[in-house]
Amino acid sequence: MKVTLIGRPSRELTYLAKQLYKDEYLQKVITFRYLDVNDFHETLKIFLRLKKGNDINKLTKKVLSIYILNSLLRKLSFPLLKQKSIEFADHTCDKYFSFIASNNLPLDSDVYHGWANYSLSSFKKISKKNQNGVKILEMYCVYPKFEIETYEKYLDKNQFVLPSKGRIKTIDEEFRIADAIIVPSEFVKKGLPTNITNVYVIPFGTDCTKFFPKNKSKDFYDKDELIVLFVGSIGYRKGFHLLYDAIKRLRENGKKVKFKVAGSVENIYSSRFKEIANNIEYLGRIPHDKLNDVYNSAHLFALPSYLEGSPLVTYESLAAGLPVIVTEGMQPLIEEGKNGFFTKMNDVNDIFDKINWIYENRNWLIEASHNARKSALENTWEVRYTRLINLYENLLMKKKGNL
């Protein structure tokens, strides 16, 4: 079996590519950059051959120009489009990448696993040139129309940027052509058009060797102060304002709660963040390889987002033994009351109640921490890989049976 991957350089793509390469299934990866390299200077060294890259990069087509193009488009369009310049630049670059990818596509792969909004040109080409090839669409995020409905229902117009009509059209066409659609959570699935039936829920995973619980004494859980952690983009989409308001109310009710925050502040939220910064412990943006210590410094992780595919930070938190509060349906690994809690969409009262219950029941944290780690160990990247390979093989058999 030969597999080609097409899409953004995400952790789910990177781990999948590594496993496919190891098992000699990988034919090609088409993405934005060298896998496992996030630093510009390291990228430049590999590009100029001053440093040897990962062997997998020999099978990787890197469309590095997309970063320059995106930055340029944002700057040039901002005076006219303001916040909409981000969506304009992103979608333009996505179309550019899709075109480049289709021109670098092997035509004899058995499976083409493409990420939503990046794969249309490739899928069209494969439909014409390789009718035996299975086309799988990774719908890692919510459907744009569902995104618009959610934003307009819960947020003010100055708190979000709408996805473009072009993005919706692209994804609709990818749905029509794909043989199967993978989603990471029921939350993504329920937001898809009702006529989409070839959907498979396969959760993301995590690296339990990088994220793990460190020894904590009972005294850590018996502290007067409950430590709540938020990791992610700080803005309205992630429900940061809801979490802040819930913690503020807890404090007003005499509860000692420390609010630790890691991540970048979105421009759209920057003025509000300056007003409340003194009431939180802001850690700034933390390198990914340093996050395990951050997770281990807290009692509880909370992310009451409006829109998520299935946030990877929640998988990492669970792996580090940190119970999670997250919006209903966004995290398939959560077992209500065992390793965390679901919270209702846009409901400060529910967030308040869940954190307050944990505050009053500290002993629950010890057992929940064990359950969190267990759930992560049962859903690693390797487990996800096995599920994907099984899906690939089943779809190939189905395709051959129809020919």
Side-chain angles (χ1 to χ4, degrees):
M1 181 168 60
K2 292 183 289 188
V3 181
T4 291
L5 303 179
I6 310 152
R8 64 190 191 118
S10 56
R11 280 195 283 281
E12 63 267 24
L13 182 146
T14 299
Y15 277 99
L16 176 56
K18 285 180 176 179
Q19 290 285 343
L20 290 169
Y21 181 76
K22 178 183 176 184
D23 291 343
E24 299 183 350
Y25 291 141
L26 185 67
Q27 186 171 15
K28 195 165 189 177
V29 184
I30 308 173
T31 188
F32 299 176
R33 58 168 168 76
Y34 300 100
L35 298 184
D36 269 354
V37 180
N38 292 308
D39 182 79
F40 171 75
H41 295 98
E42 291 298 304
T43 299
L44 192 60
K45 287 179 183 177
I46 295 173
F47 180 73
L48 297 175
R49 298 185 179 181
L50 300 175
K51 179 180 178 179
K52 184 179 179 181
N54 192 315
D55 285 344
I56 200 173
N57 286 315
K58 296 174 183 176
L59 301 178
T60 305
K61 168 63 180 177
K62 290 79 62 177
V63 190
L64 299 174
S65 56
I66 207 149
Y67 292 108
I68 299 170
L69 179 62
N70 191 291
S71 178
L72 186 63
L73 286 173
R74 287 191 185 196
K75 289 180 180 178
L76 291 176
S77 63
F78 184 79
L80 179 64
L81 299 177
K82 304 302 180 185
Q83 287 297 328
K84 292 182 180 179
S85 63
I86 298 172
E87 172 62 17
F88 168 74
D90 287 353
H91 183 58
T92 303
C93 288
D94 294 345
K95 290 179 69 175
Y96 166 73
F97 171 82
S98 181
F99 172 76
I100 296 295
S102 67
N103 287 327
N104 287 274
L105 202 65
L107 298 179
D108 60 341
S109 288
D110 300 298
V111 175
Y112 298 87
H113 187 154
W115 270 242
N117 200 51
Y118 300 101
S119 306
L120 181 57
S121 296
S122 296
F123 280 8
K124 284 182 175 179
K125 188 171 186 176
I126 293 309
S127 295
K128 294 178 180 178
K129 302 287 187 179
N130 179 3
Q131 294 184 7
N132 292 321
V134 171
K135 301 176 293 294
I136 300 174
L137 187 69
E138 180 91 31
M139 191 64 186
Y140 60 94
C141 57
V142 294
Y143 179 54
K145 284 186 179 178
F146 180 72
E147 181 179 350
I148 293 170
E149 291 169 5
T150 303
Y151 277 148
E152 292 182 339
K153 182 176 181 179
Y154 294 115
L155 298 175
D156 295 329
K157 288 186 177 180
N158 63 341
Q159 294 176 334
F160 60 86
V161 177
L162 291 176
S164 65
K165 291 180 180 179
R167 187 180 297 276
I168 296 169
K169 183 180 178 182
T170 295
I171 293 176
D172 282 345
E173 287 193 68
E174 289 173 334
F175 284 160
R176 181 178 55 82
I177 299 173
D179 296 301
I181 298 162
I182 299 170
V183 297
S185 67
E186 290 293 336
F187 185 79
V188 176
K189 184 177 179 180
K190 77 174 185 179
L192 296 177
T194 54
N195 64 325
I196 304 296
T197 57
N198 52 339
V199 182
Y200 300 83
V201 179
I202 301 181
F204 293 140
T206 194
D207 187 340
C208 288
T209 64
K210 289 184 178 179
F211 299 100
F212 54 89
K214 297 190 173 180
N215 292 329
K216 296 173 185 175
S217 66
K218 192 172 184 301
D219 290 342
F220 176 79
Y221 294 103
D222 289 339
K223 286 181 178 180
D224 288 342
E225 191 173 54
L226 181 72
I227 305 171
V228 180
L229 176 67
F230 173 98
V231 176
S233 298
I234 301 164
Y236 295 103
R237 179 188 176 101
K238 300 279 187 181
F240 180 84
H241 58 298
L242 302 174
L243 182 56
Y244 176 82
D245 288 346
I247 290 173
K248 182 181 178 183
R249 280 180 52 191
L250 285 161
R251 290 170 175 171
E252 289 170 351
N253 281 268
K255 304 294 167 58
K256 296 179 180 179
V257 182
K258 177 184 283 188
F259 188 22
K260 300 182 76 169
V261 178
S264 301
V265 182
E266 295 179 4
N267 290 334
I268 209 164
Y269 196 74
S270 58
S271 59
R272 173 59 179 155
F273 188 75
K274 290 176 182 177
E275 296 172 3
I276 64 174
N278 290 335
N279 300 321
I280 65 175
E281 183 179 329
Y282 181 48
L283 307 175
R285 187 171 182 177
I286 306 295
H288 195 243
D289 60 355
K290 305 293 183 185
L291 274 176
N292 191 54
D293 288 337
V294 176
Y295 292 132
N296 274 277
S297 70
H299 294 118
L300 173 70
F301 183 90
L303 190 70
S305 292
Y306 290 94
L307 294 163
E308 296 278 359
S310 187
L312 291 178
V313 287
T314 58
Y315 292 83
E316 294 166 0
S317 298
L318 292 168
L322 196 58
V324 169
I325 291 179
V326 67
T327 308
E328 287 175 331
M330 290 186 183
Q331 175 44 273
L333 277 56
I334 294 298
E335 296 181 72
E336 183 77 5
K338 290 187 176 181
N339 58 359
F341 290 99
F342 289 116
T343 185
K344 297 172 185 175
M345 176 82 72
N346 194 49
D347 195 329
V348 175
N349 292 332
D350 196 33
I351 301 167
F352 171 90
D353 289 341
K354 297 289 167 54
I355 299 176
N356 188 58
W357 185 90
I358 294 169
Y359 187 96
E360 300 291 350
N361 296 272
R362 299 298 182 88
N363 287 335
W364 174 84
L365 284 169
I366 299 173
E367 184 65 24
S369 177
H370 293 309
N371 292 334
R373 176 64 177 176
K374 182 183 176 184
S375 64
L377 288 169
E378 294 171 352
N379 290 273
T380 61
W381 289 119
E382 289 76 16
V383 171
R384 184 175 200 261
Y385 173 71
T386 300
R387 292 168 178 160
L388 288 172
I389 291 296
N390 289 337
L391 178 62
Y392 292 169
E393 292 174 344
N394 289 336
L395 290 171
L396 279 169
M397 288 177 62
K398 184 178 179 182
K399 173 78 80 169
K400 290 176 182 177
N402 289 335
L403 292 175

